[in-house]
Amino acid sequence: MLLMKDIVRDGHPVLRKKAAEVTIPPLKEDVEILEDMLTFIKNSQDEEIAEKYHLRSGVGLAAPQIGISKQLLVVHFEYDDQLYSYQLMNPKIISHSVQKAFLGGGEGCLSVDEVIEGYVPRNAKITVRAFDINGNPVKIRLKGYPAIVMQHEIDHLNGIMFYDHINKENPFHIPENAKIIE
Ligand code: ZN
């Protein structure tokens, strides 16, 4: 069972590396990593379990965040009465909107213990091509908050942290063509 001690914190070089593609059909070990990661995120959202094991609540996790430099990620959350739960291998953004979007409250990360304020502009809509945990190809279209979460996790596979996107001169600068998501 993954715990907070297993989460690699900011400053560790694995978070700045481009993660390696995994083999398709999936290796048993990669399937197990995805299962462990999803269990961790679900546990982190369960009040009782989270309190017992001192888990910070999260909505997504990428393998580099547990020290594994492979293109594996999970997201799991409810938004607008819909469940977004994915365990993905080798995800790629194949197209995106011109319009940008950002979270009014900024972003957080299980690998970043402090709060870093500022707007994180991302694409408002994305289409992702990936393989699911069974090795089947999937194409996923997301917009708004779910699109932002997915981009945050895919960034981890490319060595990018959310705060890299924050405007250095003015962290609350609103980019052109961007809508705020509350
Ligand atoms: Zn993160």
Side-chain angles (χ1 to χ4, degrees):
M1 176 180 172
L2 290 171
L3 297 170
M4 288 309 290
K5 67 169 173 53
D6 302 306
I7 304 293
V8 168
R9 300 314 209 286
D10 200 12
H12 194 293
V14 73
L15 292 174
R16 291 304 190 175
K17 260 177 81 174
K18 186 167 168 54
E21 283 197 3
V22 296
T23 309
I24 305 292
L27 301 173
K28 192 165 165 262
E29 62 178 87
D30 292 337
V31 169
E32 282 170 5
I33 292 166
L34 281 178
E35 295 290 24
D36 288 348
M37 285 167 54
L38 183 59
T39 301
F40 175 86
I41 290 299
K42 286 180 176 174
N43 285 343
S44 85
Q45 295 172 15
D46 181 305
E47 233 171 85
E48 257 175 52
I49 300 175
E51 196 185 314
K52 183 172 174 195
Y53 294 103
H54 310 287
L55 307 179
R56 243 184 85 197
S57 169
V59 292
L61 189 66
Q65 292 183 274
I66 54 168
I68 297 169
S69 194
K70 289 182 173 183
Q71 292 186 27
L72 301 169
L73 70 77
V74 304
V75 302
H76 182 84
F77 55 89
E78 255 181 61
Y79 184 73
D80 267 354
D81 293 327
Q82 203 184 318
L83 177 67
Y84 293 84
S85 191
Y86 296 106
Q87 293 168 293
L88 299 182
M89 302 178 156
N90 304 341
K92 297 227 168 6
I93 295 172
I94 55 165
S95 67
H96 62 80
S97 59
V98 174
Q99 184 167 46
K100 304 276 181 189
F102 61 92
L103 301 181
E107 294 187 19
C109 180
L110 288 167
S111 295
V112 180
D113 289 324
E114 71 271 35
V115 173
I116 300 180
E117 292 190 326
Y119 296 148
V120 181
R122 298 190 181 277
N123 299 307
K125 292 183 189 174
I126 57 168
T127 303
V128 175
R129 193 177 280 162
F131 294 89
D132 69 14
I133 195 164
N134 302 309
N136 298 316
V138 291
K139 203 176 179 184
I140 304 160
R141 288 186 183 84
L142 300 169
K143 61 178 181 186
Y145 179 78
I148 285 175
V149 174
M150 187 64 81
Q151 286 169 86
H152 178 120
E153 300 311 330
I154 290 177
D155 268 357
H156 277 306
L157 305 180
N158 293 303
I160 299 166
M161 300 295 287
F162 75 89
Y163 56 76
D164 297 345
H165 298 290
I166 297 176
N167 186 301
K168 304 281 176 294
E169 280 79 49
N170 176 8
F172 296 101
H173 171 76
I174 297 179
E176 225 178 289
N177 207 6
K179 63 170 182 181
I180 186 162
I181 296 169
E182 298 297 350

